[in-house]
Amino acid sequence: MKHITSRDNAQYKEIAKLATNSQARRKAGRSLLDGVHLCETWLEMRGHPLQAIVAEGALQHAEVGPLVQRLEAEHAHILCLPDQLYHAISQVEHGVGLMFLIETPEKPVPAALSVNAVLLDNVQDPGNVGSILRSAAAAGVREVYCAPGTAFCWSPKVLRAAMGAHFVLDIYENVDLAALQASAGIATLATSGYAAEQLYQLDLKRPVAWIFGHEGQGVSDTLLSGATHRVLVPHLGKVESLNVAACAAVCFFEQVRQNLG
């Protein structure tokens, strides 16, 4: 275990930059997982991080202590910081004092859509993106494609909202969704508040690609016009539309219901 006590330390400065700057994370191809749940899930599903970063005060924590001991026994890289330095870079209020530095997973975009997928067209709110990822993972959706303008999936807020869903999904960012849609080997379903076809009229007992759009503007006209189906999620209350994350959950689990039936 390595100890750093100065905020002027070059390694500390680099971690602080990654913690607070999305552009730095994208450029470095690295992300930070903040909190015991995310770290434990990564360890079980993906293995050791590049580095575990722990606050001194967390070494006696009932969950953090044993995890750090395990990492030490397995010769993982561990960096210990005074509590003040740790909490200066942590994005989690009242966190327990553990984060993992990881290589941001990246894979080449498949040539064509062939399994259940979700396409996010300029969905900008990190909480919405994280909730969609969490619902997608729970519903057995395997692939997520994000257009430029969609919130960065490996940002701290998206990671917290998704609660570990990232680690069971294949996530692709900065994707040309129109080109992906054009080459799709499965039906593409774009949600719209003005569609004539209702969700519950569709046959979802097959792989499909769901398309969800910007919180205010919805799915772009290009993707709507190229979709196999333009889909309305009906509702009875006097509201204009569902939140995009709620809409996605309804769609995913209607597909689950049909496949379980």
Side-chain angles (χ1 to χ4, degrees), residues 149-169:
T150 294
F152 181 44
C153 284
W154 294 89
S155 71
K157 289 182 179 179
V158 176
L159 281 160
R160 289 199 297 275
M163 293 291 288
H166 288 69
F167 313 144
V168 296
L169 295 167

Side-chain angles (χ1 to χ4, degrees), residues 4 26 38 51 53 62 100 124 136 153 182 191 201 247 254 259:
I4 287 178
R26 290 175 186 262
L38 286 177
Q51 190 167 53
I53 303 154
F100 278 4
Q124 296 185 341
C153 284
T191 54
Q201 298 170 336
C247 176
E254 170 59 15
N259 281 284

Side-chain angles (χ1 to χ4, degrees), residues 4 22 30 60-62 77 83 86 91 97-98 117 120 128 143 152 190 200-201 204-205 228 238-240 245 261:
I4 287 178
S22 180
R30 293 183 171 186
Q60 306 305 317
H61 188 277
H77 296 286
D83 291 2
Y86 180 93
Q91 302 295 298
L98 178 70
L120 300 182
N128 282 336
E143 298 178 347
F152 181 44
Y200 305 117
Q201 298 170 336
L204 301 175
K205 294 180 180 179
T228 311
K238 293 183 179 180
V239 293
E240 183 179 345

Side-chain angles (χ1 to χ4, degrees), residues 107-193:
K107 298 173 64 175
V109 176
L113 295 168
S114 61
V115 298
N116 283 326
V118 54
L119 282 55
L120 300 182
D121 179 27
N122 203 28
V123 180
Q124 296 185 341
D125 182 81
N128 282 336
V129 172
S131 293
I132 291 171
L133 297 186
R134 189 175 180 182
S135 293
V141 176
R142 290 172 49 187
E143 298 178 347
V144 179
Y145 299 87
C146 302
T150 294
F152 181 44
C153 284
W154 294 89
S155 71
K157 289 182 179 179
V158 176
L159 281 160
R160 289 199 297 275
M163 293 291 288
H166 288 69
F167 313 144
V168 296
L169 295 167
D170 291 329
I171 300 171
Y172 306 92
E173 301 199 77
N174 296 311
V175 178
D176 182 341
L177 297 187
L180 187 69
Q181 182 187 53
S183 64
I186 57 178
T188 58
L189 282 57
T191 54
S192 169

Side-chain angles (χ1 to χ4, degrees), residues 1 14 44 64 77 90 127 137 168 174 183 228 231 234 239 242 253:
M1 183 185 299
E14 182 61 28
E44 297 306 320
V64 175
H77 296 286
S90 174
V168 296
N174 296 311
S183 64
T228 311
V231 182
V239 293
L242 287 174
F253 284 94

Side-chain angles (χ1 to χ4, degrees), residues 1 35-37 39-40 52-72 78 86 95-100:
M1 183 185 299
V36 173
H37 175 76
C39 292
E40 284 183 334
I53 303 154
V54 61
E56 284 182 352
L59 293 174
Q60 306 305 317
H61 188 277
E63 292 179 288
V64 175
L67 189 58
V68 171
Q69 290 174 12
R70 171 184 169 182
L71 289 168
E72 281 192 296
I78 304 171
Y86 180 93
V96 297
L98 178 70
M99 65 176 75
F100 278 4

